[in-house]
Amino acid sequence: MEESVIYLVKLQCGVRQGGVLSPFLFAIYVDDLIVNLHDKRLECSVGGSYIGCLMYADDLVFLSASLTVLQQMVDVCEQEMTYLDIKFNASKSMVYYCKARRKLCDNIRLFGVDLQFVSTVKYLGVYIESANTFKLSLLESQSKISGQQMVSFTSAT
């Protein structure tokens, strides 16, 4: 019989940064968050499809038609992430407001920290700008292309 050596390794962190399977494995790990948001009907839907939460790897976006529902979504996220022992960096988290002018309203809080309201947000390398129309700016992410490229959608108000 052949002798073998067994090494015990204690895992102390998440999936490997930049690994091919990392986004997929992380999505499986946090899938309950998305399921809970959907089950609680905290969602934004288009044509009957749930789009209240967009996620790629550890980049997470909540979509909501109201700040009240958005805060409820953040609260569910806090509970789920606490259970999974995942920490959020409130300084990297923000609330993007889709109107050109934001009315005074209550702040959205993540683990007791007020999130900053912003008029431009970068998600997966694409800048989304606040205006009366929905605009995606590709200028920042495509520095080799001359001139600014902008994709616009008219918002239904």
Side-chain angles (χ1 to χ4, degrees), residues 12-79:
Q12 296 180 342
C13 61
V15 296
R16 183 173 160 242
Q17 182 84 18
V20 175
L21 288 177
S22 296
F24 179 71
L25 294 173
F26 187 78
I28 291 170
Y29 188 65
V30 299
D31 185 61
D32 281 348
L33 168 64
I34 298 167
V35 170
N36 285 342
L37 290 170
H38 182 67
D39 289 349
K40 292 182 186 313
R41 311 298 292 159
L42 300 174
E43 58 190 32
C44 197
S45 60
V46 174
S49 296
Y50 172 72
I51 58 166
C53 181
L54 304 175
M55 187 173 127
Y56 180 76
D58 63 348
D59 288 322
L60 182 64
V61 174
F62 292 142
L63 303 172
S64 173
S66 79
L67 290 173
T68 301
V69 172
L70 181 61
Q71 182 62 62
Q72 292 172 352
M73 294 172 89
V74 170
D75 294 344
V76 169
C77 184
E78 284 180 1
Q79 293 168 359

Side-chain angles (χ1 to χ4, degrees), residues 67 97-107 117:
L67 290 173
Y97 200 79
C98 294
K99 300 278 185 181
R101 286 177 278 152
R102 181 176 73 88
K103 298 176 185 175
L104 292 177
C105 56
D106 292 336
N107 289 328
F117 280 85

Side-chain angles (χ1 to χ4, degrees), residues 1 15 19 24 32 41 45 47 51 58 74-75 80 82 85 103 109 113-114 118 123 125 139-140 142 151 156:
M1 186 166 195
V15 296
F24 179 71
D32 281 348
R41 311 298 292 159
S45 60
I51 58 166
D58 63 348
V74 170
D75 294 344
E80 195 65 35
T82 298
D85 197 27
K103 298 176 185 175
R109 298 179 62 82
V113 176
D114 289 342
V118 297
Y123 182 65
L139 175 66
E140 299 290 336
Q142 296 182 349
V151 179

